[in-house]
Amino acid sequence: MSHNIFVTRLTMKALLLAAVVSLIHGSYASLVIKGPTEPVLEGDTVTLECLYTDSDLNISQVHFEVYSKYMHGWRPVMERYWCFYSLKIQQLADTLVLSIPHAGRYYEGPYRCVSNDENVTEPDNSSQPLSFKVHYMGELSLSREGYTGYLGTPHELKVRLGDDVVVKCSASSSEEPSYFWYKEGSDWVLPSSSLKLSKLNAMDEGQYTCSARHPSVESLSKRRTISITVLPEDAHWYETSDGRLMLMISAVAVALVVFILSMIVFLCRRAKETKTSKGPIDDRSQKKPIYKASSESLPSTCGDNQPLV
């Protein structure tokens, strides 16, 4: 009999302890953060919320934090209003709302909600981290192999018969895009970012379009077209795109040299004119005699009328 009473009391204590632990955990571990459930595109408005799901704790003692990859730590999120870098924090009845009017790749987080209540300690004083991916795709860039990207690629390439052409297509994107090359008026498709045409002939002339598609967001896609013209094998060098590029670079180099020489001549003439305009120093005070009674004389006790100089 006494044994059963002892077991019953022990069971009741265990249940009471479990209930207390559950109550504490339910009060402090109910802080959650909610964010976007759909893919976020660059420029979209993003809203994050901090709230308690099953607790009477005050939301006014909660703030947002973001993890800094550069500082390697969590830091509070502060309101700011500056162009596309605006952040707005608003406290409602039961939630704390963070609004990002213009989402960018630098706003991906992770974020978390943290309680300032002194009676709550880690890890119960913070929510689980939340991150969201900002998807974007920049404009397509075409570059010809063997040429610097700063010169760009013209909308039309003129090459001689039998030449080789390699054009690369690229775009900055949140994920590596899928690239395809199409030729206008043909079912020809090349699943690659590089267009390689060897020993061009008249049949290779035409409009070639590069298409880039985002792997996760179908609405993100870019296109750019380039025209390829095949000239006769005996065409003059300056008729090709390479020849025109050389002429352009030569013209810029000549203009730069002329400008530098003009500036040197101008500065030399200016320095010469400045030197000759000064002339010899005419110090007439060296030749003018100074008398005792004149305003230029010095005090003297001598009583003569002879000039001092």
Side-chain angles (χ1 to χ4, degrees), residues 177-209:
S178 300
Y179 295 98
F180 298 89
W181 280 95
Y182 305 91
K183 184 180 180 182
E184 184 178 339
S186 173
D187 56 358
W188 179 86
V189 178
L190 177 64
S192 173
S193 60
S194 297
L195 173 65
K196 298 180 181 180
L197 301 175
S198 302
K199 300 187 182 301
L200 288 170
N201 55 57
M203 299 296 294
D204 294 323
E205 272 193 350
Q207 303 280 338
Y208 292 84
T209 299

Side-chain angles (χ1 to χ4, degrees), residues 144 157-161 163 165 200 228-231 240-241:
R144 190 175 176 187
L157 281 180
K158 293 185 177 182
V159 294
R160 287 194 182 100
L161 185 70
D163 286 352
V165 170
L200 288 170
I228 296 180
T229 302
V230 179
L231 301 175
T240 65
S241 297

Side-chain angles (χ1 to χ4, degrees), residues 104 150 180 223 279:
Y150 295 104
F180 298 89
R223 296 165 61 92

